[in-house]
Amino acid sequence: MATSPTLQGPGGPLVFQSVKRRRHCAECRGGPLSLLVLEGGVPRCLDCADLGHLVFLARGDTALTRRAREGSTLYAVVVRFNRRQGRYERQGLLVEEDALARAEERCLADAEVRARRRARDAKRREAEDVRFTAAFAEEIRRLFPGCPPDRARAIAAHASVRGSGRVGRSAAGRALSEAAVTAAVAAAVRHTDTPYDGLLMTGVPRQEARRRIGPAVEATLRAWRAGTATDTGTGIGAGIGARMGTDMGMGMVTGTATGMAGDTGSEAAV
């Protein structure tokens, strides 16, 4: 734990949104606290931490946040612990009320200008996305000439959605590397042409489900690489589907146990 009076965030004090809301201020005993500051490892309310005069500004409006932060002599970064991701995530800022009012006035004054700029930027990004998706589909067809053109376009469109975090938006995907393109095609075959999703729904662990459908995926990729179209809904894929009933009981038990283990993990201090 830092020894400074108040833990510092990027440019200001760090304030925590309490997950359990069971904490009380170590100084005034007020609480339970929805927002708290850690000083010397113990919680304090905003008033006792000399931050009680600040108002909360939720994240979301970039221009308003930037202007309120710039106009506030003192501000604090508000974070909350995400148990699923195992990390703290920014929720907004605490800023001076006057600074927020001035920032709101500035944003209202040039709202139309910023709206037009956003519209232009959106059109530019849309055109860039169309070109990139077309290039991604062309690369799929080059590496997998047996992949039907409509499937190549669908895979490219899915993999290259802006902000999705999918392989097409990774650095390798934007560079159209063979590994990234192959990964996108394999993922599409896995989810569309095999019983993979059904196995997961019956409780089969992800790695085990992947092992079972692996031969079907590889068979389809080999055929497409060789320039041969294949009906991936039958053959190996159907054979795997026939085994789902046998594995359902054990898969559900294993999947449930795995989920319970994840839910019992320790939570962050705040």
Side-chain angles (χ1 to χ4, degrees), residues 176-195:
L176 299 179
S177 76
E178 181 174 348
V181 173
T182 300
V185 175
V189 172
R190 183 184 308 120
H191 289 287
T192 305
D193 304 309
T194 77

Side-chain angles (χ1 to χ4, degrees), residues 202 244-254:
T202 61
M244 286 175 59
T246 303
D247 297 323
M248 183 181 296
M250 180 61 71
M252 291 183 69
V253 172
T254 305

Side-chain angles (χ1 to χ4, degrees), residues 83-237:
R83 293 181 60 189
R84 184 179 297 275
Q85 298 295 329
R87 64 171 182 252
Y88 283 98
E89 296 178 343
R90 184 168 177 160
Q91 302 300 306
L93 295 177
L94 291 175
V95 297
E96 295 169 344
E97 191 168 3
D98 289 346
L100 178 56
R102 291 192 298 270
E104 289 172 337
E105 290 177 359
R106 292 178 61 191
C107 287
L108 286 174
D110 64 1
E112 185 177 350
V113 173
R114 289 185 294 112
R116 289 198 298 266
R117 183 185 302 124
R118 286 195 299 269
R120 291 195 302 270
D121 291 344
K123 289 182 179 179
R124 175 181 52 78
R125 289 192 297 267
E126 182 179 357
E128 291 174 353
D129 290 346
V130 169
R131 290 193 294 269
F132 175 68
T133 300
F136 204 96
E138 290 178 4
E139 188 64 10
I140 291 175
R141 290 283 293 160
R142 186 185 73 81
L143 295 174
F144 301 93
C147 177
D150 59 335
R151 283 299 302 276
R153 288 191 293 269
I155 293 170
H158 179 79
S160 60
V161 173
R162 184 182 293 269
S164 64
R166 295 169 186 153
V167 65
R169 301 309 304 188
S170 65
R174 293 194 300 273
L176 299 179
S177 76
E178 181 174 348
V181 173
T182 300
V185 175
V189 172
R190 183 184 308 120
H191 289 287
T192 305
D193 304 309
T194 77
Y196 178 71
D197 291 351
L199 290 170
L200 295 181
M201 288 301 295
T202 61
V204 177
R206 184 173 62 88
Q207 292 300 331
E208 173 61 17
R210 284 199 174 203
R211 185 189 65 79
R212 296 183 193 180
I213 57 91
V217 174
E218 287 303 319
T220 299
L221 296 184
R222 283 196 301 270
W224 284 358
R225 283 194 187 97
T228 305
T230 181
D231 182 2
T232 53
T234 59
I236 297 175

